[in-house]
Amino acid sequence: MNIPSSIVTMLAGILLTLVSIWVGQNHGLLPAEASKEAPLIDGLFNTMMTISTGLFLLVVGVLIYSAFKFRQRPGDEADGPPVHGNIPLEILWTGIPAIIVLGLSIYSFEVYNAIGGLDPMGHSPIAHSKAAHQMAKMPGAAIAATLDTPPDSITEGQTRNQDIQDQAVQDPATASVRKDLPQKKDAPTLGTTSPRIGPTPENQGMPPEFVVNATGLQYAWIFTYPDTGIVSGELHLPVGREVLLNISANDVLHAFWVPEYRLKQDAVPGRQTELRFTPSLVGEYPVICAELCGPYHGAMKTKVIAQTEADFNAWVAEQKVASAEGLGAAIATNPSDRSTDEFLAPYTHEMGIHADLLKQLHPSSEGSHSSAS
């Protein structure tokens, strides 16, 4: 039976579309969705995965078909027909990618807005101040201008970073963990030089339901809970409540990343970054430093424990008792104060490496080892 080529092309297009959609929705590459913001980001990723799969199958399919259909026949030594260009085809393969990129850009913008990314100033008092004139006169000034001059609406030497840092260290537990670093000044008109994921559109103008101060240092995360005295090396959160994570760093750049929440935020010395999100699923998830921060960067891990309201309240009550009895002091110990052997001991033990082997590898122990033998 001779099937018209138009029918074959249509069937191939339908099959390619169905396969692309199936792969885009069932790739299994992402971890569990554990925050309210995660499905929005997953939707964007799945869309890109669907389009990428379709393009991959289309391009590879055409290449394989062409290589087979137009292969050299036995005894055929002639050149192929000359090709001088095809304007409609060039317009087609230029226009389709342009439309795809434009569509994904708009979709990405909408997702970023939906998770609060377009609220860089948040509840800053600077957000409601009069804009500086140089911004309107200098297109691109947000990128090109120096960020060291504070707006006229705030006191010299005081910036939003400074205000947030001052507010955070009013909590004694946070003050005991954070270093008193000079804070960066705010940018003209933008109000801030620090990245922030603010409230979602439905929570605009509303304070967060829950606040935690997070401090990054080589090589640990320390979490403090204002007005409770709690200091923890693990992040405990109640499910269903919007959380504001006030993030900073004591030494070098770090980045707070929870893959299951699909959110990541820099921790910068002298700057106060923020991350607002709502945990939606009970469980334990890894907290990873996503910024190369030193030789033991890979060991800078902890976990976030998302709990029901009752379990979280019980944990808070236990920690208050522990804090009152001074049991939490060890949590705030700076890991950089430890020796290399002390810091690596838990990890080398898991790998089956013992202290005697480390001493043999250490240069200072080679001489004594040789002389003893």
Side-chain angles (χ1 to χ4, degrees), residues 16 19-21 23-24 48-58:
L16 184 146
V19 171
S20 301
I21 294 175
V23 173
M48 292 191 292
M49 193 70 184
T50 300
I51 295 174
S52 301
T53 302
L55 290 176
F56 174 80
L57 294 177
L58 177 63

Side-chain angles (χ1 to χ4, degrees), residues 40 58 196 206 239 294 321 324:
L40 300 173
L58 177 63
R196 291 181 170 87
M206 300 174 61
V239 167
V321 173

